[in-house]
Amino acid sequence: MSAPAGIDPRGPRFAAAITSALLFVALVLSLIGVSTAQLPSFGWIAYQPLSETDFAFVGGSVWALPVASLAQRALDPGFLLLTVIALLFLWGVLSPRTAPWGVLFRRVVRPRLSAPLELEDRRPPRFAQGVGLTVVTAGLLLHLAGVPLALPIAAGAALVAAFLNAAFDFCLGCQIYLLLQRAGLTGRATPTA
């Protein structure tokens, strides 16, 4: 017997719900970590000088991330959790059948549900995993490079996409896939019977 033509559309939504929870925790951790921390800084700066010796003493702050060591950046709890999430996205791209949330859905959740009314193409959700991987990886690399706020912005963007899928059945990555498909940049559409 051959494999079914598609996947249960509730599976990706289930995975998106778990991913949303993980991304929310990663966002909170990245907002309280070194990515957003600031160090006090004091110095002399010029302000509308009337003469060459007209200066003012001002206080302020500078980002802590650019002066943090690579080890401090890599050991930030938000960075560590987002790395785990990136690995889960990678797993979902490389081997969706063995990805943990899909296995959990098929073995525990789906047997308790009625059969789906229709199946969906497996390519758009897989592409969406790749989009999530790209966004999260960009945030991780920028964080390691010392770019302040890159980590929470990446976590927040991925959280919005995962939440839209989990709560409203709107898969942003899937929509991007379909747009690329219409433009002829991705695989051909499968004929519907």
PDB file of all heavy atoms in Angstrom, residues 110-128:
ATOM      1  N   ARG A 110      -3.387  12.170  17.062  1.00  0.00           N
ATOM      2  CA  ARG A 110      -4.230  11.805  15.924  1.00  0.00           C
ATOM      3  C   ARG A 110      -5.118  10.587  16.184  1.00  0.00           C
ATOM      4  O   ARG A 110      -6.283  10.576  15.741  1.00  0.00           O
ATOM      5  CB  ARG A 110      -3.383  11.586  14.675  1.00  0.00           C
ATOM      6  CG  ARG A 110      -4.269  11.374  13.460  1.00  0.00           C
ATOM      7  CD  ARG A 110      -3.538  11.451  12.185  1.00  0.00           C
ATOM      8  NE  ARG A 110      -4.472  11.241  11.083  1.00  0.00           N
ATOM      9  CZ  ARG A 110      -4.105  10.968   9.882  1.00  0.00           C
ATOM     10  NH1 ARG A 110      -2.832  10.887   9.587  1.00  0.00           N
ATOM     11  NH2 ARG A 110      -4.997  10.789   8.956  1.00  0.00           N
ATOM     12  N   PRO A 111      -4.666   9.541  16.897  1.00  0.00           N
ATOM     13  CA  PRO A 111      -5.577   8.412  17.158  1.00  0.00           C
ATOM     14  C   PRO A 111      -6.827   8.817  17.948  1.00  0.00           C
ATOM     15  O   PRO A 111      -7.840   8.110  17.896  1.00  0.00           O
ATOM     16  CB  PRO A 111      -4.711   7.447  17.971  1.00  0.00           C
ATOM     17  CG  PRO A 111      -3.316   7.765  17.597  1.00  0.00           C
ATOM     18  CD  PRO A 111      -3.307   9.244  17.348  1.00  0.00           C
ATOM     19  N   ARG A 112      -6.781   9.921  18.642  1.00  0.00           N
ATOM     20  CA  ARG A 112      -7.931  10.371  19.433  1.00  0.00           C
ATOM     21  C   ARG A 112      -8.868  11.288  18.637  1.00  0.00           C
ATOM     22  O   ARG A 112      -9.894  11.715  19.138  1.00  0.00           O
ATOM     23  CB  ARG A 112      -7.433  11.101  20.671  1.00  0.00           C
ATOM     24  CG  ARG A 112      -6.768  10.173  21.662  1.00  0.00           C
ATOM     25  CD  ARG A 112      -6.075  10.948  22.774  1.00  0.00           C
ATOM     26  NE  ARG A 112      -5.591  10.109  23.845  1.00  0.00           N
ATOM     27  CZ  ARG A 112      -4.544   9.301  23.777  1.00  0.00           C
ATOM     28  NH1 ARG A 112      -3.877   9.191  22.664  1.00  0.00           N
ATOM     29  NH2 ARG A 112      -4.173   8.584  24.819  1.00  0.00           N
ATOM     30  N   LEU A 113      -8.480  11.626  17.405  1.00  0.00           N
ATOM     31  CA  LEU A 113      -9.270  12.525  16.557  1.00  0.00           C
ATOM     32  C   LEU A 113      -9.950  11.741  15.452  1.00  0.00           C
ATOM     33  O   LEU A 113      -9.517  10.651  15.076  1.00  0.00           O
ATOM     34  CB  LEU A 113      -8.364  13.596  15.926  1.00  0.00           C
ATOM     35  CG  LEU A 113      -7.573  14.489  16.873  1.00  0.00           C
ATOM     36  CD1 LEU A 113      -6.626  15.381  16.074  1.00  0.00           C
ATOM     37  CD2 LEU A 113      -8.507  15.319  17.726  1.00  0.00           C
ATOM     38  N   SER A 114     -11.003  12.322  14.903  1.00  0.00           N
ATOM     39  CA  SER A 114     -11.625  11.715  13.728  1.00  0.00           C
ATOM     40  C   SER A 114     -10.707  11.926  12.528  1.00  0.00           C
ATOM     41  O   SER A 114      -9.798  12.752  12.563  1.00  0.00           O
ATOM     42  CB  SER A 114     -12.994  12.348  13.474  1.00  0.00           C
ATOM     43  OG  SER A 114     -12.849  13.730  13.237  1.00  0.00           O
ATOM     44  N   ALA A 115     -10.960  11.195  11.487  1.00  0.00           N
ATOM     45  CA  ALA A 115     -10.143  11.321  10.281  1.00  0.00           C
ATOM     46  C   ALA A 115     -10.277  12.736   9.711  1.00  0.00           C
ATOM     47  O   ALA A 115     -11.355  13.339   9.793  1.00  0.00           O
ATOM     48  CB  ALA A 115     -10.578  10.294   9.244  1.00  0.00           C
ATOM     49  N   PRO A 116      -9.204  13.260   9.136  1.00  0.00           N
ATOM     50  CA  PRO A 116      -9.305  14.612   8.562  1.00  0.00           C
ATOM     51  C   PRO A 116     -10.225  14.599   7.341  1.00  0.00           C
ATOM     52  O   PRO A 116     -10.316  13.594   6.622  1.00  0.00           O
ATOM     53  CB  PRO A 116      -7.866  14.949   8.176  1.00  0.00           C
ATOM     54  CG  PRO A 116      -7.198  13.635   8.002  1.00  0.00           C
ATOM     55  CD  PRO A 116      -7.871  12.697   8.961  1.00  0.00           C
ATOM     56  N   LEU A 117     -10.896  15.706   7.113  1.00  0.00           N
ATOM     57  CA  LEU A 117     -11.790  15.804   5.958  1.00  0.00           C
ATOM     58  C   LEU A 117     -11.004  15.796   4.658  1.00  0.00           C
ATOM     59  O   LEU A 117     -11.474  15.299   3.646  1.00  0.00           O
ATOM     60  CB  LEU A 117     -12.640  17.073   6.062  1.00  0.00           C
ATOM     61  CG  LEU A 117     -13.565  17.137   7.278  1.00  0.00           C
ATOM     62  CD1 LEU A 117     -14.283  18.462   7.334  1.00  0.00           C
ATOM     63  CD2 LEU A 117     -14.549  15.977   7.234  1.00  0.00           C
ATOM     64  N   GLU A 118      -9.815  16.388   4.688  1.00  0.00           N
ATOM     65  CA  GLU A 118      -8.959  16.397   3.502  1.00  0.00           C
ATOM     66  C   GLU A 118      -7.500  16.440   3.948  1.00  0.00           C
ATOM     67  O   GLU A 118      -7.196  16.829   5.075  1.00  0.00           O
ATOM     68  CB  GLU A 118      -9.275  17.584   2.598  1.00  0.00           C
ATOM     69  CG  GLU A 118      -9.098  18.921   3.274  1.00  0.00           C
ATOM     70  CD  GLU A 118      -9.529  20.084   2.396  1.00  0.00           C
ATOM     71  OE1 GLU A 118     -10.486  19.934   1.609  1.00  0.00           O
ATOM     72  OE2 GLU A 118      -8.889  21.137   2.511  1.00  0.00           O
ATOM     73  N   LEU A 119      -6.645  16.005   3.071  1.00  0.00           N
ATOM     74  CA  LEU A 119      -5.213  16.032   3.339  1.00  0.00           C
ATOM     75  C   LEU A 119      -4.600  17.202   2.575  1.00  0.00           C
ATOM     76  O   LEU A 119      -5.161  17.662   1.582  1.00  0.00           O
ATOM     77  CB  LEU A 119      -4.569  14.710   2.913  1.00  0.00           C
ATOM     78  CG  LEU A 119      -5.093  13.457   3.606  1.00  0.00           C
ATOM     79  CD1 LEU A 119      -4.444  12.210   3.033  1.00  0.00           C
ATOM     80  CD2 LEU A 119      -4.870  13.531   5.105  1.00  0.00           C
ATOM     81  N   GLU A 120      -3.444  17.665   3.044  1.00  0.00           N
ATOM     82  CA  GLU A 120      -2.784  18.766   2.352  1.00  0.00           C
ATOM     83  C   GLU A 120      -1.407  18.335   1.866  1.00  0.00           C
ATOM     84  O   GLU A 120      -0.824  17.374   2.374  1.00  0.00           O
ATOM     85  CB  GLU A 120      -2.681  20.008   3.242  1.00  0.00           C
ATOM     86  CG  GLU A 120      -1.693  19.926   4.358  1.00  0.00           C
ATOM     87  CD  GLU A 120      -1.617  21.212   5.179  1.00  0.00           C
ATOM     88  OE1 GLU A 120      -2.503  22.074   5.071  1.00  0.00           O
ATOM     89  OE2 GLU A 120      -0.649  21.346   5.931  1.00  0.00           O
ATOM     90  N   ASP A 121      -0.911  19.063   0.898  1.00  0.00           N
ATOM     91  CA  ASP A 121       0.416  18.815   0.338  1.00  0.00           C
ATOM     92  C   ASP A 121       1.453  19.000   1.440  1.00  0.00           C
ATOM     93  O   ASP A 121       1.378  19.934   2.243  1.00  0.00           O
ATOM     94  CB  ASP A 121       0.657  19.813  -0.807  1.00  0.00           C
ATOM     95  CG  ASP A 121       1.939  19.559  -1.564  1.00  0.00           C
ATOM     96  OD1 ASP A 121       2.670  18.592  -1.255  1.00  0.00           O
ATOM     97  OD2 ASP A 121       2.213  20.341  -2.493  1.00  0.00           O
ATOM     98  N   ARG A 122       2.431  18.111   1.511  1.00  0.00           N
ATOM     99  CA  ARG A 122       3.437  18.192   2.577  1.00  0.00           C
ATOM    100  C   ARG A 122       4.525  19.213   2.282  1.00  0.00           C
ATOM    101  O   ARG A 122       5.277  19.576   3.176  1.00  0.00           O
ATOM    102  CB  ARG A 122       4.031  16.827   2.889  1.00  0.00           C
ATOM    103  CG  ARG A 122       4.403  15.975   1.739  1.00  0.00           C
ATOM    104  CD  ARG A 122       4.932  14.591   2.133  1.00  0.00           C
ATOM    105  NE  ARG A 122       3.924  13.555   2.071  1.00  0.00           N
ATOM    106  CZ  ARG A 122       3.645  12.740   3.081  1.00  0.00           C
ATOM    107  NH1 ARG A 122       4.281  12.823   4.194  1.00  0.00           N
ATOM    108  NH2 ARG A 122       2.721  11.827   2.959  1.00  0.00           N
ATOM    109  N   ARG A 123       4.642  19.689   1.051  1.00  0.00           N
ATOM    110  CA  ARG A 123       5.726  20.619   0.709  1.00  0.00           C
ATOM    111  C   ARG A 123       5.605  22.002   1.346  1.00  0.00           C
ATOM    112  O   ARG A 123       6.595  22.519   1.855  1.00  0.00           O
ATOM    113  CB  ARG A 123       5.846  20.733  -0.812  1.00  0.00           C
ATOM    114  CG  ARG A 123       6.307  19.428  -1.466  1.00  0.00           C
ATOM    115  CD  ARG A 123       6.307  19.538  -2.960  1.00  0.00           C
ATOM    116  NE  ARG A 123       4.929  19.717  -3.430  1.00  0.00           N
ATOM    117  CZ  ARG A 123       4.590  19.938  -4.684  1.00  0.00           C
ATOM    118  NH1 ARG A 123       5.516  20.023  -5.614  1.00  0.00           N
ATOM    119  NH2 ARG A 123       3.327  20.070  -5.019  1.00  0.00           N
ATOM    120  N   PRO A 124       4.426  22.646   1.357  1.00  0.00           N
ATOM    121  CA  PRO A 124       4.364  23.971   1.981  1.00  0.00           C
ATOM    122  C   PRO A 124       4.725  23.983   3.481  1.00  0.00           C
ATOM    123  O   PRO A 124       5.499  24.844   3.909  1.00  0.00           O
ATOM    124  CB  PRO A 124       2.918  24.425   1.730  1.00  0.00           C
ATOM    125  CG  PRO A 124       2.527  23.702   0.492  1.00  0.00           C
ATOM    126  CD  PRO A 124       3.202  22.362   0.592  1.00  0.00           C
ATOM    127  N   PRO A 125       4.230  23.029   4.307  1.00  0.00           N
ATOM    128  CA  PRO A 125       4.653  23.044   5.711  1.00  0.00           C
ATOM    129  C   PRO A 125       6.157  22.796   5.876  1.00  0.00           C
ATOM    130  O   PRO A 125       6.799  23.383   6.754  1.00  0.00           O
ATOM    131  CB  PRO A 125       3.837  21.922   6.352  1.00  0.00           C
ATOM    132  CG  PRO A 125       2.642  21.769   5.489  1.00  0.00           C
ATOM    133  CD  PRO A 125       3.125  22.075   4.101  1.00  0.00           C
ATOM    134  N   ARG A 126       6.713  21.974   5.025  1.00  0.00           N
ATOM    135  CA  ARG A 126       8.163  21.729   5.085  1.00  0.00           C
ATOM    136  C   ARG A 126       8.935  22.992   4.714  1.00  0.00           C
ATOM    137  O   ARG A 126       9.937  23.327   5.331  1.00  0.00           O
ATOM    138  CB  ARG A 126       8.522  20.583   4.137  1.00  0.00           C
ATOM    139  CG  ARG A 126       9.937  20.109   4.275  1.00  0.00           C
ATOM    140  CD  ARG A 126      10.155  18.894   3.414  1.00  0.00           C
ATOM    141  NE  ARG A 126      11.423  18.266   3.699  1.00  0.00           N
ATOM    142  CZ  ARG A 126      11.826  17.155   3.156  1.00  0.00           C
ATOM    143  NH1 ARG A 126      11.056  16.522   2.300  1.00  0.00           N
ATOM    144  NH2 ARG A 126      13.000  16.654   3.451  1.00  0.00           N
ATOM    145  N   PHE A 127       8.447  23.702   3.708  1.00  0.00           N
ATOM    146  CA  PHE A 127       9.053  24.973   3.321  1.00  0.00           C
ATOM    147  C   PHE A 127       8.940  25.974   4.479  1.00  0.00           C
ATOM    148  O   PHE A 127       9.883  26.729   4.749  1.00  0.00           O
ATOM    149  CB  PHE A 127       8.365  25.532   2.062  1.00  0.00           C
ATOM    150  CG  PHE A 127       8.929  26.831   1.586  1.00  0.00           C
ATOM    151  CD1 PHE A 127      10.064  26.858   0.793  1.00  0.00           C
ATOM    152  CD2 PHE A 127       8.321  28.038   1.920  1.00  0.00           C
ATOM    153  CE1 PHE A 127      10.596  28.056   0.349  1.00  0.00           C
ATOM    154  CE2 PHE A 127       8.841  29.238   1.482  1.00  0.00           C
ATOM    155  CZ  PHE A 127       9.979  29.251   0.689  1.00  0.00           C
ATOM    156  N   ALA A 128       7.800  25.976   5.154  1.00  0.00           N
ATOM    157  CA  ALA A 128       7.609  26.877   6.295  1.00  0.00           C
ATOM    158  C   ALA A 128       8.624  26.593   7.398  1.00  0.00           C
ATOM    159  O   ALA A 128       9.113  27.521   8.054  1.00  0.00           O
ATOM    160  CB  ALA A 128       6.181  26.755   6.825  1.00  0.00           C
TER     161      ALA A 128
END
